Amino acid sequence: MTGGIAVGPDRELAGGGRTTISSGVVEKVAGLAAREVEGVYALGSSLTRAFGVVRDRVPGGARSAVSRGVKAEVGERQAALELEIVIDYGVSIGEVALAIREEVISAVEGVTGLEVVEVNIAVTDVKLPNDDGLLILGGEPRRAGSSDPHGEEEHA
């Protein structure tokens, strides 16, 4: 390489200097791309999202909501990503995971010029259609953990 710096695979720019891309930048790009995939309800586990709400209220303590549930390891020319997702009930987990990988790889490589070597996905929860704390069992709604169909257990 003469007189240039590498900015991703097989690219050179004239001039001197060095360009670094932080893991936070890669996490934001990946988070935005993953949220665009149909079947993705949210990123991050329930616990991560709950802590995020608290952190958002603390001045200077907030991690971007866009990158919540995304972790990136970034080298000079490559990046590896880990995503935690909540999917909508009824979608194919395999198809959603494949679509996420395609979108994330395309976005991260396109924006940063880094080669994405892996995208690991952990499905941490499923968003149920009737996600108001009620379970529909045998046609009758029941509160989770309750044997009483109306969620009103008698206490003696």
Side-chain angles (χ1 to χ4, degrees):
M1 188 167 74
T2 33
I5 59 168
V7 191
D10 304 317
R11 293 192 211 158
E12 263 188 39
L13 296 178
R18 178 178 168 175
T19 302
T20 58
I21 301 169
S22 77
S23 59
V25 169
V26 174
E27 291 168 354
K28 285 181 182 180
V29 171
L32 286 170
R35 282 176 171 74
E36 295 295 317
V37 175
E38 190 173 331
V40 173
Y41 176 74
L43 267 64
S45 65
S46 299
L47 186 60
T48 302
R49 292 192 318 273
F51 280 132
V53 169
V54 173
R55 252 194 327 256
D56 289 347
R57 295 173 188 245
V58 177
R63 179 180 183 199
S64 171
V66 174
S67 60
R68 197 168 294 139
V70 182
K71 290 188 174 76
E73 290 185 28
V74 179
E76 284 187 36
R77 296 177 179 260
Q78 296 179 326
L81 293 138
E82 293 186 14
L83 288 83
E84 291 182 333
I85 66 165
V86 177
I87 62 164
D88 291 319
Y89 175 79
V91 299
S92 165
I93 293 173
E95 289 177 15
V96 171
L98 179 62
I100 290 170
R101 283 188 182 92
E102 290 173 351
E103 288 294 319
V104 166
I105 290 169
S106 176
V108 171
E109 289 183 349
V111 171
T112 67
L114 296 168
E115 176 191 10
V116 177
V117 293
E118 68 180 358
V119 177
N120 296 315
I121 298 169
V123 179
T124 60
D125 204 351
V126 175
K127 166 67 168 90
L128 301 174
N130 186 21
D131 209 358
D132 60 0
L134 295 177
L135 301 174
I136 306 299
L137 300 173
E140 292 191 47
R142 298 182 187 201
R143 292 234 173 256
S146 171
S147 59
D148 180 2
H150 302 289
E152 302 169 2
E153 294 200 23
E154 293 181 28
H155 294 89

